[in-house]
């Protein structure tokens, strides 16, 4: 985490408002866990004022034709968060689309954000490249960072946990805010990044673990599925059979060991290099660790699933806390822009 003092100077005991969101486009995986969920839990435990939300309008930027799955994905994500240990008594969990003020403010930011800023965003260019022929890029995809800037500023988010790859996105939010304030008065808070230092977790193909690449291991996967997915992982291509010396530093399986097998790490490193440890056995060790690490999580999740109405209650309670803040911000924005 970033060393810069994340506690704003407003009131000695007050910790800043942390804001982060997830698009509901599938299950939580180990990449989220290592890169993000652990930070979200830590910030909760350190008593930051955490706002964690489901970015369901953002889901439409790429998955606009999959709305049939939206309800299940949203429900699943909230359950994943709760099973991971997020406590709705201490953090505010809500759904973006339950706050219509977000949409109105996105329209406003859409007017004040220069097109060039959005066209230059690296992830926009990447998404354009990755689109298959059934889809075409939409206005919302270009405007993704505009909506994200609204998510943060409308609830007065001060700190946004981000990985290195998202710093540019947050910088754009800050520019949008600065421009707004320069035009209409000092109305909006400029958020700061809370940089996560956890390294990116690779997926089975060695690229960043992600839902859309289907190279992930889900945190709620059952043991059989975990074994199957671990088996599908690439290893050092120069290590073809047991006995061949391997290079842990290029191996995706070793990257997962580094994160999830701390006790065995040195032994695995040494025995991989000498060739004593083969990839098949190495993967078995990893699968065993993962199965054990997430056993309590799976049990908790199963139990939460049985509590009918839980997710709705959590979202309703979160909305009751988040929406008044959004309404207040929007009222200030409208007044500053003479739409009073
Ligand atoms: N971009 C995030 C993702 O891909 C989702 C998101 C939307 C978000 N709005 C945000 C994250 C605001 C942090 C702050 O999952």
């Amino acid at each position: 985490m970033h060393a810069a003092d994340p506690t704003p100077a407003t009131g000695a005991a007050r910790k800043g408002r942390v804001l982060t969101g997830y698009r509901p486009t599938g299950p939580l995986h180990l990449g989220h866990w290592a890169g993000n969920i652990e930070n979200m839990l830590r910030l909760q435990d350190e008593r930051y004022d955490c706002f964690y939300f489901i970015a369901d309008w953002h889901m439409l930027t790429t998955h606009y034709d999959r709305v049939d799955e939206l309800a299940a994905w949203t429900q699943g994500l909230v359950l994943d968060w709760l099973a991971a240990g997020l406590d709705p008594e201490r953090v505010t969990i809500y759904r973006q689309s339950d706050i219509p003020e977000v949409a109105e403010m996105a329209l406003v930011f859409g007017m004040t954000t220069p097109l060039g800023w959005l066209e230059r965003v690296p992830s926009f260019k990447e998404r354009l490249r990755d689109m298959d022929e059934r889809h075409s890029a939409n206005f919302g995809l270009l405007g993704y960072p505009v909506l994200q800037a609204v998510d943060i500023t409308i609830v007065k988010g001060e700190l946004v946990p981000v990985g290195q790859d998202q710093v540019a996105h947050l910088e754009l939010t800050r520019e949008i805010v600065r421009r707004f304030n320069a035009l209409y008065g000092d109305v909006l808070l400029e958020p700061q990044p809370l940089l996560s230092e956890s390294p990116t977790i690779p997926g089975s193909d060695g690229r960043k673990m992600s839902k859309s690449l289907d190279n992930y291991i889900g945190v709620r996967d059952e043991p059989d599925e975990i074994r199957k997915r671990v088996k599908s992982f690439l290893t050092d291509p120069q290590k073809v059979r047991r006995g061949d010396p391997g290079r842990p530093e290029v191996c995706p399986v070793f990257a997962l060991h580094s994160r999830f097998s701390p006790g065995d790490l040195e032994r695995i490193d040494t025995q991989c290099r000498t060739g004593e440890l083969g990839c098949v056995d190495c993967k078995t060790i990893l699968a065993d660790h993962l199965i054990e690490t997430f056993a309590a999580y799976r049990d908790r999740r199963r139990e939460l699933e049985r509590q009918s109405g839980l997710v709705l209650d959590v979202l309703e309670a979160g909305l009751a806390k988040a929406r008044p803040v959004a309404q207040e911000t929007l009222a200030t924005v409208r007044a500053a822009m003479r739409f009073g």
Side-chain angles (χ1 to χ4, degrees), residues 285-310:
I285 301 172
L286 177 63
D288 288 344
H289 276 301
L290 293 177
I291 289 165
E292 197 197 306
T293 304
F294 291 101
Y297 170 88
R298 284 191 300 278
D299 289 346
R300 258 197 317 275
R301 198 179 186 292
R302 256 184 267 175
E303 200 205 304
L304 292 168
E305 259 169 53
R306 282 196 290 271
Q307 300 179 28
S308 69
L310 173 68

PDB file of all heavy atoms in Angstrom, residues 285-310:
ATOM      1  N   ILE A 285       0.793 -30.071  -5.333  1.00  0.00           N
ATOM      2  CA  ILE A 285       1.018 -29.318  -4.087  1.00  0.00           C
ATOM      3  C   ILE A 285       0.197 -28.025  -4.104  1.00  0.00           C
ATOM      4  O   ILE A 285      -0.468 -27.677  -3.136  1.00  0.00           O
ATOM      5  CB  ILE A 285       2.528 -28.967  -3.919  1.00  0.00           C
ATOM      6  CG1 ILE A 285       3.372 -30.236  -3.881  1.00  0.00           C
ATOM      7  CG2 ILE A 285       2.752 -28.119  -2.668  1.00  0.00           C
ATOM      8  CD1 ILE A 285       4.885 -29.969  -3.925  1.00  0.00           C
ATOM      9  N   LEU A 286       0.223 -27.353  -5.254  1.00  0.00           N
ATOM     10  CA  LEU A 286      -0.519 -26.087  -5.345  1.00  0.00           C
ATOM     11  C   LEU A 286      -2.016 -26.336  -5.161  1.00  0.00           C
ATOM     12  O   LEU A 286      -2.680 -25.640  -4.384  1.00  0.00           O
ATOM     13  CB  LEU A 286      -0.264 -25.410  -6.703  1.00  0.00           C
ATOM     14  CG  LEU A 286      -1.057 -24.123  -6.913  1.00  0.00           C
ATOM     15  CD1 LEU A 286      -0.668 -23.062  -5.894  1.00  0.00           C
ATOM     16  CD2 LEU A 286      -0.866 -23.576  -8.326  1.00  0.00           C
ATOM     17  N   ALA A 287      -2.546 -27.327  -5.871  1.00  0.00           N
ATOM     18  CA  ALA A 287      -3.987 -27.604  -5.772  1.00  0.00           C
ATOM     19  C   ALA A 287      -4.358 -27.909  -4.322  1.00  0.00           C
ATOM     20  O   ALA A 287      -5.362 -27.390  -3.811  1.00  0.00           O
ATOM     21  CB  ALA A 287      -4.366 -28.752  -6.703  1.00  0.00           C
ATOM     22  N   ASP A 288      -3.531 -28.718  -3.640  1.00  0.00           N
ATOM     23  CA  ASP A 288      -3.816 -29.036  -2.233  1.00  0.00           C
ATOM     24  C   ASP A 288      -3.885 -27.759  -1.393  1.00  0.00           C
ATOM     25  O   ASP A 288      -4.792 -27.595  -0.577  1.00  0.00           O
ATOM     26  CB  ASP A 288      -2.736 -29.966  -1.651  1.00  0.00           C
ATOM     27  CG  ASP A 288      -2.840 -31.382  -2.219  1.00  0.00           C
ATOM     28  OD1 ASP A 288      -3.897 -31.709  -2.812  1.00  0.00           O
ATOM     29  OD2 ASP A 288      -1.869 -32.155  -2.086  1.00  0.00           O
ATOM     30  N   HIS A 289      -2.926 -26.869  -1.604  1.00  0.00           N
ATOM     31  CA  HIS A 289      -2.921 -25.622  -0.836  1.00  0.00           C
ATOM     32  C   HIS A 289      -4.164 -24.784  -1.112  1.00  0.00           C
ATOM     33  O   HIS A 289      -4.773 -24.234  -0.201  1.00  0.00           O
ATOM     34  CB  HIS A 289      -1.699 -24.781  -1.194  1.00  0.00           C
ATOM     35  CG  HIS A 289      -0.477 -25.169  -0.442  1.00  0.00           C
ATOM     36  ND1 HIS A 289      -0.411 -25.151   0.924  1.00  0.00           N
ATOM     37  CD2 HIS A 289       0.736 -25.613  -0.862  1.00  0.00           C
ATOM     38  CE1 HIS A 289       0.790 -25.553   1.312  1.00  0.00           C
ATOM     39  NE2 HIS A 289       1.506 -25.849   0.240  1.00  0.00           N
ATOM     40  N   LEU A 290      -4.513 -24.678  -2.384  1.00  0.00           N
ATOM     41  CA  LEU A 290      -5.665 -23.841  -2.737  1.00  0.00           C
ATOM     42  C   LEU A 290      -6.937 -24.421  -2.142  1.00  0.00           C
ATOM     43  O   LEU A 290      -7.788 -23.694  -1.609  1.00  0.00           O
ATOM     44  CB  LEU A 290      -5.796 -23.716  -4.254  1.00  0.00           C
ATOM     45  CG  LEU A 290      -4.672 -22.945  -4.958  1.00  0.00           C
ATOM     46  CD1 LEU A 290      -4.876 -22.965  -6.470  1.00  0.00           C
ATOM     47  CD2 LEU A 290      -4.598 -21.508  -4.450  1.00  0.00           C
ATOM     48  N   ILE A 291      -7.066 -25.734  -2.241  1.00  0.00           N
ATOM     49  CA  ILE A 291      -8.268 -26.387  -1.715  1.00  0.00           C
ATOM     50  C   ILE A 291      -8.392 -26.113  -0.216  1.00  0.00           C
ATOM     51  O   ILE A 291      -9.466 -25.784   0.283  1.00  0.00           O
ATOM     52  CB  ILE A 291      -8.230 -27.907  -2.016  1.00  0.00           C
ATOM     53  CG1 ILE A 291      -8.437 -28.121  -3.523  1.00  0.00           C
ATOM     54  CG2 ILE A 291      -9.286 -28.663  -1.201  1.00  0.00           C
ATOM     55  CD1 ILE A 291      -8.087 -29.506  -4.021  1.00  0.00           C
ATOM     56  N   GLU A 292      -7.256 -26.180   0.464  1.00  0.00           N
ATOM     57  CA  GLU A 292      -7.281 -25.948   1.902  1.00  0.00           C
ATOM     58  C   GLU A 292      -7.517 -24.465   2.235  1.00  0.00           C
ATOM     59  O   GLU A 292      -8.344 -24.121   3.085  1.00  0.00           O
ATOM     60  CB  GLU A 292      -5.955 -26.413   2.493  1.00  0.00           C
ATOM     61  CG  GLU A 292      -6.012 -26.591   3.979  1.00  0.00           C
ATOM     62  CD  GLU A 292      -4.617 -26.648   4.567  1.00  0.00           C
ATOM     63  OE1 GLU A 292      -3.816 -27.481   4.087  1.00  0.00           O
ATOM     64  OE2 GLU A 292      -4.334 -25.836   5.473  1.00  0.00           O
ATOM     65  N   THR A 293      -6.803 -23.604   1.512  1.00  0.00           N
ATOM     66  CA  THR A 293      -6.922 -22.164   1.790  1.00  0.00           C
ATOM     67  C   THR A 293      -8.363 -21.685   1.688  1.00  0.00           C
ATOM     68  O   THR A 293      -8.803 -20.835   2.456  1.00  0.00           O
ATOM     69  CB  THR A 293      -6.044 -21.356   0.804  1.00  0.00           C
ATOM     70  OG1 THR A 293      -4.713 -21.838   0.901  1.00  0.00           O
ATOM     71  CG2 THR A 293      -6.075 -19.867   1.103  1.00  0.00           C
ATOM     72  N   PHE A 294      -9.088 -22.225   0.701  1.00  0.00           N
ATOM     73  CA  PHE A 294     -10.434 -21.693   0.461  1.00  0.00           C
ATOM     74  C   PHE A 294     -11.553 -22.579   1.016  1.00  0.00           C
ATOM     75  O   PHE A 294     -12.725 -22.349   0.720  1.00  0.00           O
ATOM     76  CB  PHE A 294     -10.630 -21.414  -1.030  1.00  0.00           C
ATOM     77  CG  PHE A 294      -9.769 -20.260  -1.488  1.00  0.00           C
ATOM     78  CD1 PHE A 294      -8.578 -20.479  -2.157  1.00  0.00           C
ATOM     79  CD2 PHE A 294     -10.133 -18.957  -1.181  1.00  0.00           C
ATOM     80  CE1 PHE A 294      -7.761 -19.416  -2.528  1.00  0.00           C
ATOM     81  CE2 PHE A 294      -9.326 -17.891  -1.544  1.00  0.00           C
ATOM     82  CZ  PHE A 294      -8.139 -18.122  -2.221  1.00  0.00           C
ATOM     83  N   ALA A 295     -11.190 -23.571   1.822  1.00  0.00           N
ATOM     84  CA  ALA A 295     -12.218 -24.470   2.377  1.00  0.00           C
ATOM     85  C   ALA A 295     -13.210 -23.704   3.247  1.00  0.00           C
ATOM     86  O   ALA A 295     -14.430 -23.832   3.095  1.00  0.00           O
ATOM     87  CB  ALA A 295     -11.552 -25.587   3.181  1.00  0.00           C
ATOM     88  N   ALA A 296     -12.688 -22.870   4.143  1.00  0.00           N
ATOM     89  CA  ALA A 296     -13.574 -22.128   5.050  1.00  0.00           C
ATOM     90  C   ALA A 296     -14.441 -21.169   4.241  1.00  0.00           C
ATOM     91  O   ALA A 296     -15.631 -20.983   4.521  1.00  0.00           O
ATOM     92  CB  ALA A 296     -12.750 -21.354   6.070  1.00  0.00           C
ATOM     93  N   TYR A 297     -13.832 -20.589   3.212  1.00  0.00           N
ATOM     94  CA  TYR A 297     -14.570 -19.679   2.347  1.00  0.00           C
ATOM     95  C   TYR A 297     -15.755 -20.406   1.687  1.00  0.00           C
ATOM     96  O   TYR A 297     -16.885 -19.906   1.686  1.00  0.00           O
ATOM     97  CB  TYR A 297     -13.621 -19.115   1.281  1.00  0.00           C
ATOM     98  CG  TYR A 297     -14.339 -18.350   0.209  1.00  0.00           C
ATOM     99  CD1 TYR A 297     -14.596 -16.995   0.365  1.00  0.00           C
ATOM    100  CD2 TYR A 297     -14.811 -19.000  -0.923  1.00  0.00           C
ATOM    101  CE1 TYR A 297     -15.294 -16.301  -0.601  1.00  0.00           C
ATOM    102  CE2 TYR A 297     -15.503 -18.316  -1.895  1.00  0.00           C
ATOM    103  CZ  TYR A 297     -15.742 -16.972  -1.735  1.00  0.00           C
ATOM    104  OH  TYR A 297     -16.442 -16.292  -2.677  1.00  0.00           O
ATOM    105  N   ARG A 298     -15.485 -21.599   1.168  1.00  0.00           N
ATOM    106  CA  ARG A 298     -16.565 -22.339   0.494  1.00  0.00           C
ATOM    107  C   ARG A 298     -17.689 -22.688   1.463  1.00  0.00           C
ATOM    108  O   ARG A 298     -18.863 -22.579   1.124  1.00  0.00           O
ATOM    109  CB  ARG A 298     -16.011 -23.623  -0.146  1.00  0.00           C
ATOM    110  CG  ARG A 298     -15.229 -23.389  -1.423  1.00  0.00           C
ATOM    111  CD  ARG A 298     -14.927 -24.721  -2.151  1.00  0.00           C
ATOM    112  NE  ARG A 298     -14.149 -25.638  -1.343  1.00  0.00           N
ATOM    113  CZ  ARG A 298     -12.819 -25.590  -1.218  1.00  0.00           C
ATOM    114  NH1 ARG A 298     -12.134 -24.672  -1.871  1.00  0.00           N
ATOM    115  NH2 ARG A 298     -12.173 -26.469  -0.476  1.00  0.00           N
ATOM    116  N   ASP A 299     -17.320 -23.080   2.674  1.00  0.00           N
ATOM    117  CA  ASP A 299     -18.349 -23.405   3.674  1.00  0.00           C
ATOM    118  C   ASP A 299     -19.201 -22.183   4.004  1.00  0.00           C
ATOM    119  O   ASP A 299     -20.420 -22.250   4.056  1.00  0.00           O
ATOM    120  CB  ASP A 299     -17.695 -23.895   4.980  1.00  0.00           C
ATOM    121  CG  ASP A 299     -17.087 -25.276   4.795  1.00  0.00           C
ATOM    122  OD1 ASP A 299     -17.404 -25.925   3.777  1.00  0.00           O
ATOM    123  OD2 ASP A 299     -16.283 -25.684   5.659  1.00  0.00           O
ATOM    124  N   ARG A 300     -18.498 -21.066   4.228  1.00  0.00           N
ATOM    125  CA  ARG A 300     -19.238 -19.849   4.583  1.00  0.00           C
ATOM    126  C   ARG A 300     -20.183 -19.453   3.462  1.00  0.00           C
ATOM    127  O   ARG A 300     -21.315 -19.060   3.666  1.00  0.00           O
ATOM    128  CB  ARG A 300     -18.249 -18.698   4.829  1.00  0.00           C
ATOM    129  CG  ARG A 300     -18.011 -18.413   6.287  1.00  0.00           C
ATOM    130  CD  ARG A 300     -17.396 -17.055   6.509  1.00  0.00           C
ATOM    131  NE  ARG A 300     -16.329 -16.704   5.597  1.00  0.00           N
ATOM    132  CZ  ARG A 300     -15.050 -17.040   5.763  1.00  0.00           C
ATOM    133  NH1 ARG A 300     -14.685 -17.744   6.808  1.00  0.00           N
ATOM    134  NH2 ARG A 300     -14.145 -16.671   4.882  1.00  0.00           N
ATOM    135  N   ARG A 301     -19.683 -19.587   2.240  1.00  0.00           N
ATOM    136  CA  ARG A 301     -20.496 -19.162   1.114  1.00  0.00           C
ATOM    137  C   ARG A 301     -21.754 -20.025   0.994  1.00  0.00           C
ATOM    138  O   ARG A 301     -22.844 -19.527   0.753  1.00  0.00           O
ATOM    139  CB  ARG A 301     -19.699 -19.198  -0.180  1.00  0.00           C
ATOM    140  CG  ARG A 301     -20.361 -18.354  -1.266  1.00  0.00           C
ATOM    141  CD  ARG A 301     -19.583 -18.361  -2.527  1.00  0.00           C
ATOM    142  NE  ARG A 301     -20.139 -17.449  -3.506  1.00  0.00           N
ATOM    143  CZ  ARG A 301     -21.287 -17.589  -4.115  1.00  0.00           C
ATOM    144  NH1 ARG A 301     -22.061 -18.640  -3.842  1.00  0.00           N
ATOM    145  NH2 ARG A 301     -21.711 -16.704  -5.004  1.00  0.00           N
ATOM    146  N   ARG A 302     -21.581 -21.324   1.185  1.00  0.00           N
ATOM    147  CA  ARG A 302     -22.734 -22.223   1.122  1.00  0.00           C
ATOM    148  C   ARG A 302     -23.780 -21.839   2.168  1.00  0.00           C
ATOM    149  O   ARG A 302     -24.969 -21.846   1.921  1.00  0.00           O
ATOM    150  CB  ARG A 302     -22.298 -23.667   1.356  1.00  0.00           C
ATOM    151  CG  ARG A 302     -22.270 -24.438   0.031  1.00  0.00           C
ATOM    152  CD  ARG A 302     -21.937 -25.863   0.256  1.00  0.00           C
ATOM    153  NE  ARG A 302     -20.725 -25.924   0.111  1.00  0.00           N
ATOM    154  CZ  ARG A 302     -19.503 -26.451   0.092  1.00  0.00           C
ATOM    155  NH1 ARG A 302     -19.308 -27.082   0.253  1.00  0.00           N
ATOM    156  NH2 ARG A 302     -18.353 -26.381  -0.094  1.00  0.00           N
ATOM    157  N   GLU A 303     -23.272 -21.478   3.316  1.00  0.00           N
ATOM    158  CA  GLU A 303     -24.190 -21.110   4.391  1.00  0.00           C
ATOM    159  C   GLU A 303     -24.912 -19.797   4.072  1.00  0.00           C
ATOM    160  O   GLU A 303     -26.122 -19.668   4.284  1.00  0.00           O
ATOM    161  CB  GLU A 303     -23.409 -20.984   5.696  1.00  0.00           C
ATOM    162  CG  GLU A 303     -24.319 -21.086   6.882  1.00  0.00           C
ATOM    163  CD  GLU A 303     -23.726 -20.397   8.079  1.00  0.00           C
ATOM    164  OE1 GLU A 303     -22.591 -20.761   8.437  1.00  0.00           O
ATOM    165  OE2 GLU A 303     -24.393 -19.486   8.612  1.00  0.00           O
ATOM    166  N   LEU A 304     -24.176 -18.847   3.539  1.00  0.00           N
ATOM    167  CA  LEU A 304     -24.791 -17.560   3.181  1.00  0.00           C
ATOM    168  C   LEU A 304     -25.844 -17.733   2.097  1.00  0.00           C
ATOM    169  O   LEU A 304     -26.882 -17.085   2.104  1.00  0.00           O
ATOM    170  CB  LEU A 304     -23.716 -16.580   2.703  1.00  0.00           C
ATOM    171  CG  LEU A 304     -22.721 -16.099   3.769  1.00  0.00           C
ATOM    172  CD1 LEU A 304     -21.551 -15.382   3.121  1.00  0.00           C
ATOM    173  CD2 LEU A 304     -23.424 -15.182   4.767  1.00  0.00           C
ATOM    174  N   GLU A 305     -25.555 -18.634   1.157  1.00  0.00           N
ATOM    175  CA  GLU A 305     -26.498 -18.888   0.063  1.00  0.00           C
ATOM    176  C   GLU A 305     -27.860 -19.329   0.582  1.00  0.00           C
ATOM    177  O   GLU A 305     -28.881 -19.070  -0.050  1.00  0.00           O
ATOM    178  CB  GLU A 305     -25.956 -20.023  -0.822  1.00  0.00           C
ATOM    179  CG  GLU A 305     -25.306 -19.566  -2.092  1.00  0.00           C
ATOM    180  CD  GLU A 305     -24.563 -20.731  -2.753  1.00  0.00           C
ATOM    181  OE1 GLU A 305     -25.167 -21.794  -2.968  1.00  0.00           O
ATOM    182  OE2 GLU A 305     -23.354 -20.554  -3.017  1.00  0.00           O
ATOM    183  N   ARG A 306     -27.844 -20.018   1.689  1.00  0.00           N
ATOM    184  CA  ARG A 306     -29.102 -20.533   2.249  1.00  0.00           C
ATOM    185  C   ARG A 306     -29.946 -19.442   2.898  1.00  0.00           C
ATOM    186  O   ARG A 306     -31.120 -19.641   3.139  1.00  0.00           O
ATOM    187  CB  ARG A 306     -28.807 -21.643   3.270  1.00  0.00           C
ATOM    188  CG  ARG A 306     -28.467 -22.976   2.629  1.00  0.00           C
ATOM    189  CD  ARG A 306     -28.566 -24.112   3.628  1.00  0.00           C
ATOM    190  NE  ARG A 306     -27.502 -24.059   4.616  1.00  0.00           N
ATOM    191  CZ  ARG A 306     -26.309 -24.647   4.473  1.00  0.00           C
ATOM    192  NH1 ARG A 306     -26.054 -25.334   3.386  1.00  0.00           N
ATOM    193  NH2 ARG A 306     -25.389 -24.561   5.404  1.00  0.00           N
ATOM    194  N   GLN A 307     -29.319 -18.300   3.203  1.00  0.00           N
ATOM    195  CA  GLN A 307     -30.084 -17.238   3.869  1.00  0.00           C
ATOM    196  C   GLN A 307     -30.841 -16.408   2.831  1.00  0.00           C
ATOM    197  O   GLN A 307     -30.271 -15.521   2.210  1.00  0.00           O
ATOM    198  CB  GLN A 307     -29.144 -16.324   4.662  1.00  0.00           C
ATOM    199  CG  GLN A 307     -28.367 -17.059   5.732  1.00  0.00           C
ATOM    200  CD  GLN A 307     -27.425 -16.134   6.480  1.00  0.00           C
ATOM    201  OE1 GLN A 307     -27.670 -14.941   6.592  1.00  0.00           O
ATOM    202  NE2 GLN A 307     -26.326 -16.691   6.963  1.00  0.00           N
ATOM    203  N   SER A 308     -32.119 -16.729   2.665  1.00  0.00           N
ATOM    204  CA  SER A 308     -32.834 -16.056   1.589  1.00  0.00           C
ATOM    205  C   SER A 308     -33.047 -14.583   1.933  1.00  0.00           C
ATOM    206  O   SER A 308     -33.246 -14.229   3.098  1.00  0.00           O
ATOM    207  CB  SER A 308     -34.169 -16.752   1.319  1.00  0.00           C
ATOM    208  OG  SER A 308     -35.016 -16.535   2.408  1.00  0.00           O
ATOM    209  N   GLY A 309     -32.937 -13.749   0.927  1.00  0.00           N
ATOM    210  CA  GLY A 309     -33.161 -12.324   1.139  1.00  0.00           C
ATOM    211  C   GLY A 309     -31.934 -11.582   1.638  1.00  0.00           C
ATOM    212  O   GLY A 309     -31.937 -10.352   1.723  1.00  0.00           O
ATOM    213  N   LEU A 310     -30.854 -12.317   1.936  1.00  0.00           N
ATOM    214  CA  LEU A 310     -29.669 -11.679   2.506  1.00  0.00           C
ATOM    215  C   LEU A 310     -29.096 -10.592   1.595  1.00  0.00           C
ATOM    216  O   LEU A 310     -28.861  -9.455   2.025  1.00  0.00           O
ATOM    217  CB  LEU A 310     -28.601 -12.748   2.795  1.00  0.00           C
ATOM    218  CG  LEU A 310     -27.247 -12.220   3.248  1.00  0.00           C
ATOM    219  CD1 LEU A 310     -27.347 -11.592   4.624  1.00  0.00           C
ATOM    220  CD2 LEU A 310     -26.195 -13.335   3.266  1.00  0.00           C
TER     221      LEU A 310
END
